[in-house]
Amino acid sequence: MFFHQLSNSITNYSFNTAVYSDAVWENHFHKNLELIYVIKGSVKCTLNNVFCKLTEGEFGLCLPYDIHSYVPEKDSMYWILVFSGDFVHSFSKEISGKTGEKLRFEVSYPVRTYVKCRLIENENLTKYTLKSCLYCLCEEYLSSVRLVEKDGKKAEIISLIADFVSEKHTENISLRDVANAFSYDYNYMSRCFKNIFNMSFTHFVNMYRLETAIELLENTDGDITDIALGSGFQSVRNFNDYFKKSLNMTPSEYRKASRK
């Protein structure tokens, strides 16, 4: 749902897991690595605009700042693990400045069996078990996926825009402000943004604003008007329209549902 997932860009041995059925994740990126395993059915995926379909029993891995998306097909279920690179120091050094040529990677039967038992189906996961499973998977990944150098200029543009919008999204900002802040030609910045993100700058910024608003709806009792304007939306109407279009419910309905 959100483009730059700030909560998944935290290091210091952070990780989180979740199982999804009908959740659709639009193009997004973050600093941490992300592992996907399809439990049932199939999931349509993209990795840096390259499409693939993962089916039951298959794994995929997104490296830091890879742009990826997931669209599950009907009656499908998939498991996600997002983890910081400090769990796999050696692997992180090897992939620094690189990306994989594809999302899917081959996992041998013994490793798949071990990982399903010790990682995916384990309700009492410890960091030691996590590290052992991840290193097994990293070895499998490097055996089946070719690493390629990232486009340095593209990576720089992504980082600059993401950091700027993360800090300034509650203000009235434009892409020209980003270009001026980093002394880039506006027309060049505009072309880069269109080629990389394939969306309007307004939509990109509103995704950050929506994430801020959701956090406030979940964790505070603030007035919805104050939350809308405090998150950077220019009007309550604009906020309500964007919220409902994104989540298929109103802010009030979301707050109520999140507290059940």
Side-chain angles (χ1 to χ4, degrees):
M1 180 171 53
F2 310 118
F3 202 83
H4 182 205
Q5 293 184 321
L6 303 177
S7 58
N8 286 334
S9 292
I10 301 171
T11 56
N12 193 27
Y13 292 99
S14 65
F15 72 94
N16 60 81
T17 65
V19 175
Y20 300 102
S21 53
D22 57 354
V24 172
W25 295 97
E26 296 180 2
N27 274 332
H28 62 287
F29 65 91
H30 38 71
K31 183 177 181 179
N32 290 348
L33 297 93
E34 181 166 316
L35 180 71
I36 176 173
Y37 172 78
V38 179
I39 299 172
K40 181 177 69 172
S42 59
V43 180
K44 297 178 181 178
C45 311
T46 63
L47 179 73
N48 299 322
N49 295 320
V50 176
F51 173 83
C52 79
K53 180 187 288 188
L54 296 179
T55 58
E56 185 172 329
E58 291 187 321
F59 288 86
L61 182 65
C62 302
L63 303 188
Y65 296 113
D66 279 343
I67 300 174
H68 52 288
S69 67
Y70 306 130
V71 180
E73 298 194 322
K74 186 177 180 181
D75 298 325
S76 296
M77 184 178 298
Y78 61 106
W79 174 88
I80 294 290
L81 166 68
V82 180
F83 61 98
S84 56
D86 37 20
F87 281 106
V88 284
H89 284 292
S90 299
F91 180 73
S92 294
K93 288 181 180 179
E94 190 158 353
I95 64 172
S96 178
K98 300 175 183 177
T99 186
E101 64 177 356
K102 60 182 180 178
L103 177 72
R104 181 193 295 109
F105 66 102
E106 303 299 323
V107 178
S108 63
Y109 178 77
V111 172
R112 184 186 301 112
T113 302
Y114 176 72
V115 168
K116 282 185 65 178
C117 175
R118 300 292 292 157
L119 179 61
I120 298 174
E121 298 171 354
N122 187 354
E123 297 181 356
N124 299 303
L125 184 63
T126 68
K127 68 177 183 180
Y128 302 108
T129 300
L130 178 61
K131 290 180 73 170
S132 69
C133 291
L134 288 177
Y135 268 112
C136 286
L137 290 169
C138 288
E139 182 179 24
E140 301 283 271
Y141 178 86
L142 292 175
S143 297
S144 62
V145 177
R146 185 172 69 93
L147 295 176
V148 295
E149 294 290 337
K150 285 186 176 179
D151 182 334
K153 180 58 66 175
K154 180 178 178 180
E156 178 185 11
I157 293 291
I158 290 175
S159 178
L160 291 178
I161 293 175
D163 289 345
F164 185 89
V165 175
S166 173
E167 181 180 351
K168 303 286 188 179
H169 66 274
T170 58
E171 304 173 19
N172 186 17
I173 58 173
S174 67
L175 188 58
R176 190 175 295 277
D177 293 324
V178 182
N180 292 339
F182 300 106
S183 300
Y184 273 90
D185 176 75
Y186 169 72
N187 291 325
Y188 173 76
M189 178 67 79
S190 181
R191 289 195 301 273
C192 287
F193 184 88
K194 182 177 180 181
N195 290 335
I196 294 171
F197 297 108
N198 194 30
M199 66 176 70
S200 71
F201 184 73
T202 298
H203 181 47
F204 182 82
V205 176
N206 279 342
M207 283 192 271
Y208 283 79
R209 292 169 175 163
L210 182 62
E211 185 169 15
T212 297
I214 285 175
E215 183 177 354
L216 292 172
L217 287 169
E218 290 178 345
N219 300 311
T220 75
D221 295 316
D223 181 79
I224 288 179
T225 297
D226 293 337
I227 288 176
L229 300 180
S231 299
F233 288 92
Q234 300 305 299
S235 70
V236 178
R237 180 176 180 179
N238 177 250
F239 170 60
N240 287 333
D241 289 346
Y242 190 83
F243 197 102
K244 189 164 186 178
K245 181 179 179 181
S246 300
L247 298 180
N248 200 32
M249 65 177 71
T250 67
S252 296
E253 291 170 340
Y254 180 87
R255 170 178 270 172
K256 184 177 180 180
S258 70
R259 300 188 178 187
K260 286 183 177 179

